Amino acid sequence: MIKGIFNRSMIIGLILIGAVVFLALAAPWLAPHEPQKTNFDQRLLSPSSEYPFGTDHLGRCILSRVLFAARISLFIGASVIGISFIAGTLIGSMSAYAGGIVDETVMRFVDGFLAFPSMFIALAIAGIFKGNMAGLIIALSIVEWTAYARVSRGSVLAVKNMDYIAVSRMMGAKAPYILRHHILPNITSPLLVISTLGMGNVILAAAGLSFLGLGVSSAPEWGMMVNEGRLFIQSAPHVMFFPGIFIVITVMGFNFLGDGLRDIFDPRDTKQRWRLF
């Protein structure tokens, strides 16, 4: 039964993501110290039984900060993907279903967004809302929604002229009903795949913006912690290593999960792709 549902990439991704989510949710109970509490007498300590990940340049427990930072990163990623998914899917699907001048106008608008380097747009918008989580979410959502618009448009174009859609029209169904009940349920597979892969990209982008000083500044965040640790990379490499490895694990988890979902939804070579071992 498992062989027909999961594959190796998906299992690895679920394990990695599940571990990070568990640590994030259990952070208040697992964190040995207050994440924001400073202690200058304990600056840059190496990992020990009291401080399993060591301390940073202000004497703060790195393990506690990493655990609470996981909450921030996952929340930002989920928020951006949720906003981008809803906005991009609605715009792309309605554009494709309407067709004609509406579709051309909307797609030229999307192309205009894609003409600019996405990170430059995110940097500009995040710079306006510097240090604000809502600003960071807005900046990354504006960058991400275009992918969902293009994928949903292509998927709707592929199914909107099929027989069951024509029958629904002849029975008097209106466009909103057809989109909601007949088209959108049949185009979720590619959108689910890019959402999973996009989650890792968003977390990485958020960490990159925080590393540049344009992310969340009022709470622990992985990118900001890496930025703080770069000044002590020779004397105290653990300050930079642990938040960095959590970024890697989380992004790898979503990439593995996305690859696994893509293989499952790909109709080609199904017998080989759905094998767990």
Side-chain angles (χ1 to χ4, degrees):
M1 182 67 179
I2 292 180
K3 292 183 179 181
I5 300 175
F6 300 105
N7 58 29
R8 189 179 292 110
S9 293
M10 191 174 181
I11 292 294
I12 295 173
L14 287 173
I15 291 173
L16 294 177
I17 295 169
V20 174
V21 170
F22 169 77
L23 292 174
L25 294 176
W29 298 276
L30 295 178
H33 300 277
E34 182 68 31
Q36 296 285 61
K37 184 179 180 180
T38 60
N39 187 346
F40 291 99
D41 293 332
Q42 306 289 331
R43 294 176 66 251
L44 301 176
L45 294 181
S46 299
S48 62
S49 57
E50 183 179 1
Y51 298 100
F53 287 2
T55 60
D56 64 7
H57 63 295
L58 297 179
R60 297 173 297 192
C61 176
I62 295 177
L63 173 59
S64 301
R65 291 175 62 76
V66 164
L67 293 177
F68 277 91
R71 293 182 154 199
I72 300 294
S73 295
L74 292 174
F75 177 78
I76 291 173
S79 299
V80 171
I81 293 301
I83 294 171
S84 302
F85 184 97
I86 294 172
T89 301
L90 288 176
I91 292 172
S93 58
M94 289 189 294
S95 171
Y97 190 81
I101 188 65
V102 174
D103 188 36
E104 286 293 326
T105 302
V106 172
M107 284 302 104
R108 296 299 75 78
F109 179 71
V110 172
D111 291 341
F113 266 91
L114 295 174
F116 294 95
S118 59
M119 188 51 68
F120 286 172
I121 298 176
L123 282 169
I125 299 173
I128 298 173
F129 300 97
K130 184 177 180 180
N132 189 304
M133 184 187 300
L136 183 60
I137 292 172
I138 292 171
L140 293 174
S141 297
I142 290 175
V143 169
E144 289 290 319
W145 74 271
T146 54
Y148 297 90
R150 294 190 70 88
V151 171
S152 61
R153 175 182 179 267
S155 299
V156 171
L157 288 174
V159 302
K160 76 171 188 175
N161 293 320
M162 289 187 173
D163 292 341
Y164 69 94
I165 302 295
V167 170
S168 183
R169 287 198 197 98
M170 288 188 294
M171 294 178 65
K174 303 297 183 182
Y177 180 89
I178 294 174
L179 282 169
R180 186 170 65 252
H181 292 90
H182 297 309
I183 292 180
L184 291 179
N186 289 295
I187 67 171
T188 54
S189 297
L191 293 173
L192 182 60
V193 172
I194 66 170
S195 295
T196 309
L197 293 171
M199 184 76 171
N201 293 334
V202 168
I203 290 175
L204 190 60
L209 291 173
S210 294
F211 180 85
L212 296 174
L214 299 175
V216 180
S217 59
S218 59
E221 201 281 333
W222 289 334
M224 179 180 64
M225 294 176 67
V226 172
N227 182 34
E228 293 172 347
R230 67 184 174 83
L231 301 174
F232 311 99
I233 191 169
Q234 293 184 340
S235 59
H238 62 276
V239 179
M240 190 175 182
F241 173 78
F242 288 110
I245 200 66
F246 265 76
I247 295 174
V248 172
I249 291 172
T250 306
V251 174
M252 282 181 59
F254 283 107
N255 287 345
F256 275 120
L257 179 57
D259 287 341
L261 290 174
R262 182 183 58 196
D263 291 346
I264 288 175
F265 292 136
D266 192 339
R268 297 171 297 176
D269 198 16
T270 305
K271 187 176 293 186
Q272 290 298 320
R273 289 174 179 270
W274 285 27
R275 291 179 59 192
L276 179 59
F277 299 109

